[in-house]
Amino acid sequence: MRTIAKLKTVASSPSLSLSWAYSVAAIEARNVPAGSSSLLDEFTKFCYQRDLPRAMKAMDAMQRHGIRADSITYSELIKCCLARGAFKEGKLVHEHLFSNGHQPKTFLTNILLNMFVKFNLLDEAQALFDRMPERNVVSWTTIISAYTNAKLNDRALEFLLLMLRQGVMPNMFTYSSVLRACDGLSILKQLHSSIIKAGLESDVFVRSALIDVYSKFGELQDALGVFNELVTGDLVVWNSIIGGFAQNSDGDEALNLYKSMKKAGFPPDQSTLTSVLRACTGLALLELGRQVHVHILKFDRDLILNNALLDMYCKCGSTEDANFVFTTMLEKDVISWSTMIAGIAQNGFSREALGLFQSMKDSGVKPNYITILGVLFACSHAGLMEDGWYYFKSMKKLFGIDPGREHYGCIIDLLGRAGKLDQAANLIHEMECEPDAVTWRTLLGACRVHRNVDLAIHAAKQILKLDPEDAGTYILLSNIYANSQSWDGVAEVRRTMKDRGIKKEPGCSWIEVNKRIHAFILGDNSHPQIDEINRQLNQLIHRLMGVGYVPDTNFVLQDLEGEQREDSLRYHSEKLAIVYGMMSLSMAKTIRIRKNIRICGDCHIFAKLVTKMEQRPIVIRDPIRYHHFRDGVCSCGDYW
């Protein structure tokens, strides 16, 4: 009766069959020596009560008396070790089970194997796996998953081949795990074929893993193909495809899929909303992000969602909303602090960012790589040379963080802002990591501001070595040559651009009005209100010229004629978006614009004058800076 009562408890576990459990315990109970019932009862009771110290003490007594319990009781003890992180006790259980030449049942050895894997003891797991006389699909899947999680992808794939050679067929869990070990598209395609042959392509977790891995490689059409193969009846698959597009900066498609998911009757969960927030962040869709915020409230202050909200609000330029979320968060981790510090620094509020960094340290949260990057960005943005150098030089000593390429970039930016161009160039050559095109672009931007022609040419050439298709650098280099009357240089640059088929990426700006996106591109007249927008833009420019606005033609190709240069500036996409915002939004609304390429100097001047004349705040986010224009002043301090 005692055995039956115990097994009824065990049978509540979905992973065990009741009839199978009866068989195991009944067979093993016959091997218990007479007179050992009391000790076994105590051991069993302690295991099921999760009383680890007393269970271990009872096991030690059993070892001395040569007594063994049944496999299910040992499995409960191993679960207890796992729950308490007791790896030393887990090793003792392992020794006990294999003592005196005993060989545990395969299912129990699999549980031991899983324990070693969960404790990240891969050597012990491998040794146990090697000594198993019989390995089933669970054994193979456990060891493959272990190597996948440890990023030892070659080992994971090697074990899949060994598994197949030994005639053990992978199941959906095996494939879901090994798919994550794919480090090349050809291997992924082979695995996909194997999955189809095994008839597992309809499994929810396999489909989800396939979509995730195709998305990781940027193969979104293949991911969409997997998604569309079957009617999707599971939220996991929806989340994978939405997340894949959001992570690959295709926010439009991610949001379209989200709408389709809701129409199909699937309520979003935390994973869905995190991906939707990522899409809103990439597209700078503040109003849609605020709608998502309403849905997030039902998830009881989920930390991951709150961190995603912080990121979205900061990157949409709404530091007020970000600050509200941050101050009301009951739980904050290093990601929360780092997101907020970097976010408000990028939006031009450097002093506030540094004050927040001090609060973070006072709270006892240890800074990470991103935190220090935000601090250095704040120092650079505010021109705080002494503070910036201090944190850069001491980040390893104070916080155990080695400076990375992005940290060097902030200091180069700081030096460039201060006009210390030679020092900035020397720092690039002293970098512990190889400078990339972004690093050299930072120096080039400083050279443009401070008109250092020779160093600008050197920086531009370094960029083009690393990124030969960078049209913006060719145009800037051409203009530098033109301004210094070096027409041979201009001709060489234009010839290179022509030979390589390089054309300047058209500037695109988009603005959200009434939850709809309106995009503007220079020369594109497809917007239904473009005639009225152009008319009001011309009127606005005429009024601005009355207060001193003069188009700055240094930001277009210098071989255009004067009137052509002014016309090419007049209809830049951000000017069109600003005017449409003025036409469509109330005076109380901030005009928020996202741009695909760096704002030019002329549009920067234009936006400052508009905010001064019209008393309309404007926020423009480009790939380099967040520009908050108010009362004729920009948060970037005219340096970007």
Side-chain angles (χ1 to χ4, degrees):
M1 291 299 292
R2 191 167 46 241
T3 302
I4 292 172
K6 177 179 69 176
L7 285 171
K8 284 181 178 177
T9 305
V10 176
S12 63
S13 169
S15 62
L16 295 175
S17 158
L18 182 59
S19 60
W20 175 85
Y22 269 112
S23 302
V24 171
I27 292 168
E28 294 183 2
R30 290 202 293 265
N31 299 323
V32 177
S36 304
S37 178
S38 177
L39 183 55
L40 267 178
D41 284 349
E42 282 195 352
F43 176 68
T44 301
K45 180 179 69 173
F46 296 145
C47 288
Y48 278 89
Q49 289 178 347
R50 300 292 172 96
D51 188 338
L52 184 59
R54 296 167 80 179
M56 293 302 295
K57 189 174 180 180
M59 188 186 77
D60 186 53
M62 288 165 55
Q63 177 74 23
R64 291 196 302 271
H65 288 85
I67 303 168
R68 293 184 186 278
D70 61 80
S71 298
I72 299 171
T73 302
Y74 283 122
S75 73
E76 290 298 317
L77 178 58
I78 295 167
K79 290 176 189 175
C80 184
C81 292
L82 270 173
R84 286 163 172 68
F87 67 91
K88 290 180 181 177
E89 287 82 352
K91 285 183 175 181
L92 290 174
V93 176
H94 171 251
E95 291 172 9
H96 167 71
L97 287 172
F98 281 87
S99 63
N100 302 321
H102 181 73
Q103 181 66 49
K105 302 285 184 184
T106 301
F107 109 91
L108 186 55
T109 310
N110 283 338
I111 294 173
L112 275 172
L113 186 65
N114 179 63
M115 178 191 72
F116 283 133
V117 168
K118 291 284 177 63
F119 284 143
N120 201 30
L121 299 170
L122 289 188
D123 290 340
E124 287 84 347
Q126 183 64 65
L128 177 58
F129 182 82
D130 290 340
R131 71 186 293 184
M132 290 178 72
E134 178 188 345
R135 305 180 188 116
N136 59 19
V137 66
V138 175
S139 320
W140 286 99
T141 300
T142 301
I143 200 72
I144 288 169
S145 178
Y147 283 119
T148 298
N149 291 335
K151 308 298 183 188
L152 298 171
N153 296 339
D154 290 343
R155 292 285 282 166
L157 292 165
E158 176 189 333
F159 271 84
L160 178 68
L161 289 175
L162 289 172
M163 178 183 185
L164 292 167
R165 285 173 188 165
Q166 293 198 13
V168 182
M169 289 303 298
N171 62 16
M172 67 283 290
F173 302 112
T174 319
Y175 279 120
S176 297
S177 179
V178 80
L179 278 168
R180 292 184 287 114
C182 287
D183 49 13
L185 195 57
S186 61
I187 296 173
L188 174 56
K189 294 282 188 181
Q190 290 176 45
L191 282 174
H192 193 171
S193 297
S194 299
I195 288 165
I196 293 171
K197 288 177 184 176
L200 294 171
E201 70 275 16
S202 62
D203 179 78
V204 167
F205 296 104
V206 173
R207 286 181 74 197
S208 178
L210 276 169
I211 291 168
D212 288 342
V213 181
Y214 274 123
S215 299
K216 183 182 78 172
F217 290 126
E219 301 293 331
L220 294 180
Q221 289 310 306
D222 285 315
L224 198 56
V226 174
F227 176 78
N228 288 329
E229 278 173 6
L230 296 165
V231 175
T232 301
D234 198 283
L235 185 60
V236 173
V237 181
W238 278 106
N239 283 341
S240 290
I241 194 66
I242 293 170
F245 278 93
Q247 288 161 16
N248 280 277
S249 302
D250 193 341
D252 284 331
E253 186 59 28
L255 293 173
N256 287 334
L257 285 163
Y258 173 58
K259 291 174 186 174
S260 299
M261 187 195 86
K262 290 200 296 182
K263 285 180 183 176
F266 289 90
D269 64 4
Q270 289 98 321
S271 179
T272 323
L273 294 174
T274 301
S275 294
V276 172
L277 280 173
R278 186 192 291 264
C280 294
T281 301
L283 296 171
L285 302 180
L286 179 62
E287 293 306 319
L288 185 55
R290 283 176 174 152
Q291 279 188 293
V292 177
H293 189 171
V294 174
H295 290 290
I296 287 170
L297 296 176
K298 70 179 75 168
F299 288 101
D300 195 27
R301 300 178 179 273
D302 181 272
L303 179 60
I304 294 174
L305 280 174
N306 274 332
N307 286 341
L309 263 179
L310 283 179
D311 189 49
M312 183 274 295
Y313 279 133
C314 286
K315 287 179 178 172
C316 287
S318 182
T319 53
E320 301 89 350
D321 286 313
N323 188 60
F324 173 79
V325 172
F326 185 77
T327 54
T328 55
M329 286 172 67
L330 297 180
E331 180 187 0
K332 300 182 182 78
D333 61 4
V334 65
I335 297 173
S336 318
W337 287 98
S338 301
T339 300
M340 195 64 183
I341 290 167
I344 61 176
Q346 287 172 329
N347 278 281
F349 303 101
S350 298
R351 300 286 181 182
E352 291 87 344
L354 294 176
L356 199 58
F357 179 54
Q358 185 58 52
S359 298
M360 176 184 181
K361 290 189 293 182
D362 293 343
S363 74
V365 178
K366 185 180 178 182
N368 65 9
Y369 186 99
I370 301 299
T371 320
I372 304 304
L373 187 60
V375 169
L376 293 179
F377 193 98
C379 292
S380 166
H381 215 77
L384 302 174
M385 182 71 69
E386 188 176 331
D387 290 339
W389 269 113
Y390 169 74
Y391 285 120
F392 179 71
K393 291 292 187 183
S394 57
M395 57 188 286
K396 174 67 174 177
K397 180 181 177 182
L398 291 177
F399 311 113
I401 301 167
D402 291 311
R405 191 178 284 115
E406 296 91 345
H407 299 109
Y408 277 100
C410 285
I411 296 302
I412 292 163
D413 191 60
L414 177 59
L415 292 168
R417 187 182 288 266
K420 300 179 183 294
L421 301 183
D422 291 337
Q423 196 174 342
N426 290 336
L427 184 61
I428 291 178
H429 293 295
E430 294 170 6
M431 285 174 62
E432 295 179 11
C433 44
E434 197 68 27
D436 61 1
V438 175
T439 309
W440 287 107
R441 284 191 193 103
T442 302
L443 180 62
L444 178 60
C447 293
R448 177 185 62 80
V449 172
H450 295 289
R451 301 186 183 279
N452 187 320
V453 175
D454 293 337
L455 191 53
I457 292 170
H458 173 69
K461 288 181 175 179
Q462 296 303 314
I463 295 168
L464 295 176
K465 283 181 186 177
L466 296 165
D467 185 3
E469 306 298 314
D470 183 0
T473 297
Y474 281 108
I475 291 168
L476 188 52
L477 182 57
S478 173
N479 289 350
I480 288 169
Y481 280 130
N483 288 332
S484 60
Q485 306 293 303
S486 176
W487 303 114
D488 289 341
V490 172
E492 181 187 350
V493 171
R494 297 310 303 275
R495 186 167 53 252
T496 302
M497 290 181 71
K498 184 177 180 182
D499 291 345
R500 294 185 176 177
I502 294 169
K503 294 182 179 180
K504 184 178 184 292
E505 179 185 4
C508 178
S509 298
W510 55 94
I511 181 172
E512 182 184 11
V513 175
N514 296 327
K515 300 172 189 172
R516 291 187 60 192
I517 306 304
H518 296 260
F520 297 92
I521 301 174
L522 176 65
D524 177 17
N525 295 321
S526 61
H527 194 281
Q529 293 174 263
I530 192 64
D531 291 338
E532 179 62 17
I533 293 168
N534 285 336
R535 188 181 70 78
Q536 294 209 23
L537 173 59
N538 289 326
Q539 290 179 355
L540 181 60
I541 289 174
H542 181 74
R543 287 162 53 211
L544 291 176
M545 284 181 168
V547 294
Y549 169 60
V550 177
D552 187 345
T553 58
N554 284 317
F555 297 91
V556 293
L557 287 170
Q558 296 298 302
D559 53 357
L560 291 174
E561 296 297 327
E563 287 186 7
Q564 287 180 296
R565 280 186 266 162
E566 287 196 19
D567 283 344
S568 71
L569 286 172
R570 180 179 292 262
Y571 300 109
H572 273 191
S573 62
E574 53 266 64
K575 290 190 179 80
L576 297 170
I578 288 171
V579 170
Y580 183 69
M582 292 171 64
M583 290 167 51
S584 308
L585 298 173
S586 68
M587 286 292 293
K589 290 271 190 180
T590 298
I591 297 172
R592 300 179 188 276
I593 295 166
R594 178 81 167 88
K595 196 171 187 305
N596 65 328
I597 58 177
R598 187 178 68 176
I599 185 173
C600 80
D602 179 69
C603 289
H604 197 268
I605 294 168
F606 176 87
K608 288 200 299 182
L609 290 174
V610 168
T611 60
K612 187 173 184 179
M613 174 182 283
E614 300 294 322
Q615 292 299 300
R616 296 289 299 267
I618 298 171
V619 177
I620 298 179
R621 172 186 162 195
D622 71 16
I624 309 298
R625 290 280 190 273
Y626 294 72
H627 301 268
H628 288 252
F629 299 95
R630 188 182 293 271
D631 298 325
V633 177
C634 180
S635 61
C636 77
D638 296 341
Y639 184 96
W640 74 99

